[in-house]
Amino acid sequence: MRKFIFLFTCISTIFLQAQDVKKATVYAGQGETVIVPTDAKPTQKQWKGNFTFKDSDVIFSNDFDGARLNGIIKENDSTFIALITSENTPINISPWYAFKVASKEPKQINVTLTYQEGIKHRYYPKLSDDGENWEVLDSTNYTAYEKGNADFGMGSLPLSVTLKLSVSNKPLWVAGQELETSASVREWATDLTTKKDITYSSIGKSKEGRDMGLLSIGKADSKNMILIISRQHPPEVTGYLAMKAFVETLTSDSKLAQKFRKKFGVFVVPLMNPDGVDNGHWRHNLGGIDLNRDWANFNQPETSAVRDFMVAKEKETEGKFYFGIDFHSTWDDIYYTIDSKYEGNMPGLVPDWLTAVKADLPGYDPNIKSSDKLQPTAVSKNYFFVAHEAEALVFEIGDNTPRDFIKEKGEVSANKLMELMLSRLKEGK
Ligand SMILES: [Zn+2]
């Protein structure tokens, strides 16, 4: 398998050597959204603490925010079997695992990751000394069992994997995707507020009482607004990284960004599901619900906070949301758009934008899947379009997309969007 080496810099520097992400076929995207009830359901929290063993100096811990380790047993002196389980069922196949491991004496151990019935291993392991800077596990230390041959989805995954790890008295972090928790999101957002036209405030509380943080960028009372959200689904860290690069570009000192911020009010909810993220959920909020099925019913506090904010902001400014974007992660990079036969507040913006992004990223051919099914709104993009006439889409990044490409794509996407929206505004269309 070919390998990529890439470098990614944001709050932390991540040096990751990722597995090949070139596929023989193009990802077909997910099927029609299944409409499900969104009344709250019970979720199971993970027990938190240290896992120790008789006659062993190896200690595992899950005592931190983000991802899961639900149990671990010692098979022999050097072999351990971990169990990772979800917050409830039925659930998407996105087991977001993480643990810390240390030993008094330096040694090599094997850790096999196992999952509940019907679930397979998805996220390639990343290692860290500090929980912030990550490096992918060398493929020689990775063994996959019963791996499927498909390019995408359940059929592409192994049933379980064994990781060979070198442990010592300095704890080693192991995680399925980088741990970007509510604390790290808050730190990132707060750092952006050193600029005069950027603030970070709360538009409500999650079910467990965490703030629903909102970045306000540019002209807060402008009639021309855009909305950006990310991380409805906790393990979808690559989508979050794209959102960061996108937003950082909107807040940059470039002439374009400064001009854009004078004309537009940009509102960002970088972490839609803070409880799910900190509790290590695979998909749902603490109400046990996929938030991206609740944009018609608004049974959950996280979706309701954003709806209330948008409605209030339109009233306050007597303006419009011209654009709404929701960042996610999936098997491969893909855009879910709304059929161009439907016209919102800036008709044609999304297709023109994606064409401009393609032209600026040599060799990149965007995978675009549009839908003409808008009702019931259920998902964020349909709500943004139907209720606010914002040109809307879902921006999905692959689980294994190289982090340097995510950053480049986020930056190019933001620059092209600003150019287009400024020229459309000038032309009055
Ligand atoms: Zn998602």
Side-chain angles (χ1 to χ4, degrees):
M1 225 179 217
R2 202 151 59 82
K3 289 175 182 173
F4 286 102
I5 306 228
F6 53 84
L7 183 70
F8 172 73
T9 312
C10 53
I11 292 173
S12 55
T13 301
I14 300 174
F15 190 69
L16 295 176
Q17 188 184 16
Q19 292 205 307
D20 190 356
V21 294
K22 286 272 176 263
K23 306 287 193 213
T25 53
V26 175
Y27 175 47
Q30 62 193 23
E32 285 279 306
T33 302
V34 179
I35 306 300
V36 293
T38 59
D39 300 308
K41 296 192 292 187
T43 55
Q44 188 167 54
K45 287 211 169 190
Q46 57 180 329
W47 177 89
K48 294 267 190 176
N50 291 335
F51 298 80
T52 57
F53 310 91
K54 199 167 175 270
D55 305 323
S56 172
D57 66 347
V58 178
I59 301 177
F60 287 82
S61 170
N62 64 358
D63 205 2
F64 49 84
D65 284 342
R68 292 196 151 207
L69 171 68
N70 303 84
I72 187 149
I73 57 167
K74 187 184 101 173
E75 194 167 68
N76 58 47
D77 283 349
S78 62
T79 304
F80 298 83
I81 299 176
L83 175 66
I84 323 294
T85 64
S86 61
E87 62 274 20
N88 63 5
T89 57
I91 190 92
N92 209 50
I93 308 148
S94 43
W96 190 28
Y97 61 87
F99 54 84
K100 281 200 277 185
V101 57
S103 62
K104 279 201 185 97
E105 299 299 325
K107 64 186 67 174
Q108 264 204 348
I109 61 166
N110 294 309
V111 180
T112 297
L113 304 180
T114 65
Y115 303 95
Q116 70 207 46
E117 195 178 350
I119 297 297
K120 291 180 168 187
H121 173 81
R122 174 162 178 177
Y123 298 117
Y124 194 83
K126 284 113 193 141
L127 309 181
S128 172
D129 288 335
D130 56 10
E132 290 184 4
N133 303 288
W134 299 90
E135 183 179 317
V136 298
L137 178 71
D138 190 285
S139 60
T140 57
N141 294 324
Y142 178 82
T143 309
Y145 306 103
E146 298 183 45
K147 190 182 179 317
N149 293 320
D151 282 336
F152 308 102
M154 185 76 163
S156 68
L157 302 178
L159 188 62
S160 67
V161 296
T162 296
L163 324 180
K164 197 189 287 176
L165 303 172
S166 298
V167 294
S168 68
N169 61 4
K170 188 169 192 300
L172 174 71
W173 298 70
V174 180
Q177 291 291 37
E178 299 90 325
L179 295 176
E180 294 280 354
T181 63
S182 68
S184 42
V185 175
R186 194 183 317 117
E187 189 182 327
W188 169 75
T190 306
D191 280 352
L192 292 176
T193 62
T194 50
K195 292 195 173 149
K196 68 170 174 19
D197 51 1
I198 303 177
T199 62
Y200 187 56
S201 59
S202 174
I203 53 165
K205 297 275 187 195
S206 66
K207 191 177 171 80
E208 209 168 37
R210 291 181 178 83
D211 279 323
M212 294 296 294
L214 175 90
L215 272 167
S216 168
I217 298 165
K219 196 171 181 307
D221 60 354
S222 173
K223 288 186 190 311
N224 314 312
M225 300 183 283
I226 79 173
L227 186 81
I228 300 166
I229 65 171
S230 110
R231 216 81 185 278
Q232 294 197 72
H233 302 139
E236 298 185 4
V237 173
T238 56
Y240 169 76
L241 296 176
M243 182 281 302
K244 277 174 81 172
F246 189 86
V247 169
E248 284 166 9
T249 308
L250 299 179
T251 65
S252 80
D253 292 330
S254 74
K255 275 210 171 90
L256 175 64
Q258 291 189 39
K259 197 172 164 194
F260 189 78
R261 294 200 298 271
K262 285 196 180 105
K263 294 277 183 203
F264 284 88
V266 178
F267 303 99
V268 189
V269 182
L271 184 54
M272 279 295 304
N273 187 357
D275 297 346
V277 164
D278 285 357
N279 284 293
H281 286 187
W282 299 4
R283 182 82 171 177
H284 302 149
N285 72 339
L286 206 78
I289 293 302
D290 181 343
L291 289 175
N292 207 27
R293 298 294 178 270
D294 191 40
W295 294 87
N297 299 327
F298 295 98
N299 285 323
Q300 301 300 317
E302 296 87 357
T303 41
S304 304
V306 175
R307 173 201 56 188
D308 294 349
F309 167 76
M310 292 181 82
V311 170
K313 203 70 202 172
E314 278 173 342
K315 218 171 162 183
E316 177 195 320
T317 62
E318 296 177 347
K320 292 175 186 175
F321 282 92
Y322 283 92
F323 180 72
I325 184 167
D326 183 5
F327 287 87
H328 288 253
S329 306
T330 186
W331 305 99
D332 202 2
D333 291 21
I334 188 166
Y335 301 94
Y336 293 113
T337 60
I338 288 170
D339 195 303
S340 55
K341 71 183 177 197
Y342 297 116
E343 298 195 338
N345 289 330
M346 218 173 240
L349 175 69
V350 170
D352 288 357
W353 174 51
L354 297 181
T355 302
V357 169
K358 175 182 159 78
D360 225 42
L361 288 171
Y364 173 62
D365 194 12
N367 186 2
I368 303 167
K369 192 177 177 191
S370 76
S371 166
D372 61 1
K373 192 175 179 302
L374 296 176
Q375 296 282 1
T377 51
V379 298
S380 62
K381 85 169 180 338
N382 289 0
Y383 170 74
F384 296 159
F385 184 82
V386 171
H388 303 276
E389 294 178 67
E391 308 298 340
L393 82 160
V394 178
F395 192 113
E396 297 258 12
I397 296 286
D399 297 334
N400 297 315
T401 300
R403 273 49 175 171
D404 61 348
F405 182 64
I406 296 176
K407 193 162 190 280
E408 185 187 3
K409 194 168 156 181
E411 289 167 0
V412 167
S413 300
N415 283 325
K416 292 293 144 192
L417 184 78
M418 290 190 286
E419 281 173 12
L420 267 174
M421 291 192 78
L422 280 169
S423 78
R424 289 290 181 93
L425 200 66
K426 208 172 161 190
E427 293 161 18
K429 59 182 186 184

